[in-house]
Amino acid sequence: MPPGSTSLVEAAGRLYATGGGAYRVVYAQEQADPPFAIVTPMRAASTGRDSRVTLAVAAPMSTLRFYLNDRPIEDAEVPPTTTLLNYLRQRAHLTGTKEGCAEGDCGACTVVLLDAETDPAAPRFRAVNACLMFVPMVQGRRVYTVEGLRRDGALHPVQAAMVERLGSQCGYCTPGVVMSAFEACYRDDLHEPWQLDDQMCGNLCRCTGYRPIRDAVHMVAGTCPKDIFKTRRAEAKPAALEFVRASEGRCYLQPTSLAALWAAIAERPRARLVCGGTDLALLVTQRYQDLPELIALEGVPELRGVGRGADGWFEIGATTTLTDLEAACMGPLRPLTPLLRILRYFASRQIKHRATVGGNLCNASPIGDLAPALIALGAQVVLRSAAGARTLPLEQFFLAYRKTALQPGEVLAAVRVPEPAPGARVAAYKVSKRRELDISAVAAGLYVETCPEGLVTEVRAAFGGMAATPARARGLEAALRGKPWTEATVEAALPALADDFKPLSDHRCSAWFRGQVAENLVRGFYLETAATPRPELPPRPTATVRLEVVP
């Protein structure tokens, strides 16, 4: 090995700096003094002998590197659970990004990421809530704030439109509104009116009123001006997401392969897993909890994406974001109509850009919106560890309140969903106090198959908000199975729901209300699917249940 030269080798999923040359690690001992590895030279004329080399953790792994308004940033000191919002305001001194709620509800902290990892062939801008992202989550990426939009003394077209349409009054919410509209400006998939509502529903304005803001957004949405931002997007390459920060009693690991993930879990068995952070970050911003050990999953490509298996089942990677799932449900996953229905009003676009399928399920909340729809569709979960993989029906994944079937060392890798049978009736529903950006009081997923004679041959009725976990209404299903699919049959079966669930009263609604809503959703499902077995929401703002009364 030439003296003074340096290269990287990987041992137990981690990178190390060694003397020069390319090596395959046979054995590594990190606890020795100094740490060492036994390596085999990887060269055409190898001697076949193993060599002992000294290890040192490679510096690039512990230094946070990203671009902020196209300016390169390097930071080796920031605590890993610092939110991006606090980093921007307190360390970068970019105070245009505001703190309104610190929980992702108001949109005042909205910034934009340039994402080239999800689809390297089609990079895109994503508006996100800076208050719900830990700063290591931007490793290797480009981040834009409102201060970075003005170039060469000229306002960005989005900013100019806000001025022209008088879209700002007190100005506190304006930077977040501008950044959400910035994403809309460069989108090429705004084909339906509801998509623009979805784009902006995560930004609250308390004084201006939404009409001038909406007018400004309509002026610029989809225009894709030929500017430096369009150039940056076209030239974007997947970021180097690997990152390790271990200091002052805190550890943040972001591996980029399954092998590295298993090694990280083995090394830090008590670490919390995180991906989007839309729920876990609240422990820091709202409850001020310390999270000493975190392992981030978004750098592992094997865990994200959608596709179709050899058996014809749809496969959804656990770290697939909800916006990517929603887009897939308008394309290759079109048969999974209930998911598209439930995702419409799941959360704001900023939240859906970061929230993941696996995160929503592993949270194991009784009011998680995805679980009832997926259970009704007959979904399975794939649980993986270093030892292998196993598959469970989704309803068996939830063991108790916020407790899942995951064993130590396991992660939720994917969700598998069969295509609904031809002619099957299937839909999903969410009932909440407000349409956008609200938690469900009751959610439901319903699936019914009938034979040519009109008898129910298969039925799955899953509910959220009715018990400690998302669960199937087994009594209701039994009362429907084998019976004619008629309104009379449905009415006769509904009393079984009272035996299936004993819901609680809380600040969202009473137990009586939940029971009544659950019954009404089954009634609505019968009526809504009478003409269309897989009803879609109309392409305009609407309630989740749409019924028409004909005189």
Side-chain angles (χ1 to χ4, degrees), residues 366-415:
I367 49 176
D369 289 341
L370 281 183
L374 287 169
I375 291 173
L377 287 165
Q380 299 175 346
V381 289
V382 180
L383 313 181
R384 294 187 66 174
S385 68
R390 61 191 179 106
T391 302
L392 286 177
L394 179 55
E395 60 262 34
Q396 296 179 19
F397 181 66
F398 306 107
L399 302 182
Y401 179 72
R402 293 190 178 273
K403 182 179 180 182
T404 71
L406 285 169
Q407 298 296 314
E410 280 188 327
V411 301
L412 173 58
V415 178

Side-chain angles (χ1 to χ4, degrees), residues 188-474:
D188 58 5
D189 61 344
L190 295 171
H191 307 304
E192 302 286 354
W194 68 266
Q195 290 178 292
L196 209 53
D197 295 333
D198 175 68
Q199 177 72 54
M200 302 303 300
C201 74
N203 293 88
L204 301 184
C205 177
R206 295 168 176 84
C207 58
T208 303
Y210 293 102
R211 178 56 64 83
I213 293 173
R214 183 181 176 88
D215 290 344
V217 175
H218 271 285
M219 285 180 61
V220 298
T223 55
C224 296
K226 295 180 180 180
D227 56 17
I228 185 61
F229 302 105
K230 186 174 182 178
T231 300
R232 293 292 188 206
R233 186 182 66 173
E235 296 174 347
K237 305 297 181 184
L241 300 181
E242 186 173 28
F243 180 78
V244 170
R245 173 67 57 78
S247 62
E248 300 180 358
R250 290 179 173 84
C251 181
Y252 191 103
L253 307 176
Q254 186 160 282
T256 55
S257 69
L258 282 176
L261 174 60
W262 308 140
I265 292 175
E267 181 183 350
R268 305 275 181 171
R270 301 185 65 180
R272 299 285 295 268
L273 301 181
V274 64
C275 192
T278 55
D279 189 72
L280 191 68
L282 297 178
L283 298 181
V284 174
T285 64
Q286 300 298 309
R287 300 185 183 181
Y288 307 105
Q289 291 186 14
D290 186 31
L291 301 176
E293 295 183 331
L294 292 174
I295 298 175
L297 302 179
E298 64 181 307
V300 182
E302 296 92 336
L303 299 181
R304 66 173 177 262
V306 299
R308 200 155 192 169
D311 59 359
W313 284 44
F314 297 106
E315 297 184 352
I316 306 167
T319 63
T320 302
T321 65
L322 299 186
T323 44
D324 290 336
L325 177 59
E326 188 172 31
C329 287
M330 291 187 280
L333 271 60
R334 190 76 190 193
L336 304 184
T337 309
L339 295 183
L340 189 58
R341 287 170 61 102
I342 211 70
L343 288 168
R344 172 84 69 86
Y345 300 120
F346 189 101
S348 70
R349 188 163 177 86
Q350 292 100 310
I351 296 290
K352 290 190 289 188
H353 272 326
R354 295 293 302 165
T356 64
V357 174
N360 187 250
L361 297 178
C362 289
N363 182 279
S365 168
I367 49 176
D369 289 341
L370 281 183
L374 287 169
I375 291 173
L377 287 165
Q380 299 175 346
V381 289
V382 180
L383 313 181
R384 294 187 66 174
S385 68
R390 61 191 179 106
T391 302
L392 286 177
L394 179 55
E395 60 262 34
Q396 296 179 19
F397 181 66
F398 306 107
L399 302 182
Y401 179 72
R402 293 190 178 273
K403 182 179 180 182
T404 71
L406 285 169
Q407 298 296 314
E410 280 188 327
V411 301
L412 173 58
V415 178
R416 303 180 73 247
V417 189
E419 182 170 349
R425 295 167 172 84
V426 56
Y429 303 95
K430 171 178 178 172
V431 177
S432 54
K433 289 188 175 180
R434 64 176 186 254
R435 188 177 64 198
E436 278 102 359
L437 223 63
D438 200 5
I439 296 173
S440 296
V442 178
L446 300 165
Y447 180 97
V448 170
E449 291 180 30
T450 57
C451 66
E453 291 75 27
L455 303 180
V456 175
T457 57
E458 182 60 67
V459 54
R460 290 187 291 270
F463 289 85
M466 297 291 289
T469 67
R472 289 175 65 171
R474 299 287 186 177

Side-chain angles (χ1 to χ4, degrees), residues 143-157:
V143 180
Y144 292 100
T145 70
V146 69
E147 291 92 343
L149 301 193
R150 186 184 182 110
R151 298 296 171 103
D152 299 324
L155 294 177
H156 187 275

